[in-house]
Amino acid sequence: QVQLVESGGGLVQAGGSLRLSCAASGRTFSSYAMGWFRQAPGKEREFVAAISWSGGSTYYADSVKGRFTISRDNAKNTGYLQMNSLKPEDTAVYYCAAARDTYTVVAGRYDYWGQGTQVTVSS
C-alpha cells in the first residue's frame, strides 16, 4: 500500500503560481511512477503530468506544457507540481497518483490515489 496526501492548493489570481506537493508513505515511493491529474466541476478527470520512478523522464499534457513542471524527491518520499502562469481554466481538484508500471497518461493504470487538493484561479 502507498498512501498519498496532496497539499499546496489554494486560491490564486491568473498569472500566479502554486506548488503542489504529494507526500507518500507506505511502500517504497521511489519504485513507483507518479502522475498528476485534475478534475474540474462537471468534467472528467484529465491527465496533467507524469514522471518516471527515477525522475529521469517526464511527460505533460499539451494544455500545461511550458507552464507546469513535475518533479520528485525520492529521499523525501515527495512529488511536486510547480504551476506557473496559471489560467482560470486550470481551476480543478488536483490529484496525485502512483503506478507500479512505467509512467502513463491513463488514469486506470495508476494503483494509488490521493484525496485531492483544490486549485482555484481567479480572472
Side-chain angles (χ1 to χ4, degrees), residues 5-41:
V5 178
E6 302 95 336
S7 62
L11 174 64
V12 64
Q13 288 189 332
S17 298
L18 283 174
R19 188 194 197 199
L20 304 184
S21 297
C22 175
S25 60
R27 290 186 178 269
T28 307
F29 176 65
S30 60
S31 63
Y32 288 79
M34 188 186 77
W36 287 93
F37 291 76
R38 66 187 182 187
Q39 187 166 18

Side-chain angles (χ1 to χ4, degrees), residues 32-54:
Y32 288 79
M34 188 186 77
W36 287 93
F37 291 76
R38 66 187 182 187
Q39 187 166 18
K43 295 188 177 182
E44 293 187 354
R45 190 171 297 189
E46 66 171 353
F47 169 78
V48 175
I51 189 168
S52 62
W53 66 270
S54 68

Side-chain angles (χ1 to χ4, degrees), residues 21-110:
S21 297
C22 175
S25 60
R27 290 186 178 269
T28 307
F29 176 65
S30 60
S31 63
Y32 288 79
M34 188 186 77
W36 287 93
F37 291 76
R38 66 187 182 187
Q39 187 166 18
K43 295 188 177 182
E44 293 187 354
R45 190 171 297 189
E46 66 171 353
F47 169 78
V48 175
I51 189 168
S52 62
W53 66 270
S54 68
S57 298
T58 58
Y59 189 76
Y60 298 91
D62 288 343
S63 59
V64 307
K65 201 172 295 182
R67 300 188 297 123
F68 291 11
T69 302
I70 189 172
S71 62
R72 65 191 298 163
D73 185 340
N74 287 339
K76 295 182 178 180
N77 282 348
T78 303
Y80 305 97
L81 184 68
Q82 177 67 44
M83 306 186 295
N84 299 328
S85 302
L86 283 161
K87 305 175 181 179
E89 51 263 43
D90 294 319
T91 295
V93 176
Y94 283 71
Y95 301 88
C96 68
R100 296 187 192 92
D101 292 338
T102 186
Y103 64 102
T104 173
V105 306
V106 180
R109 298 284 298 274
Y110 286 83

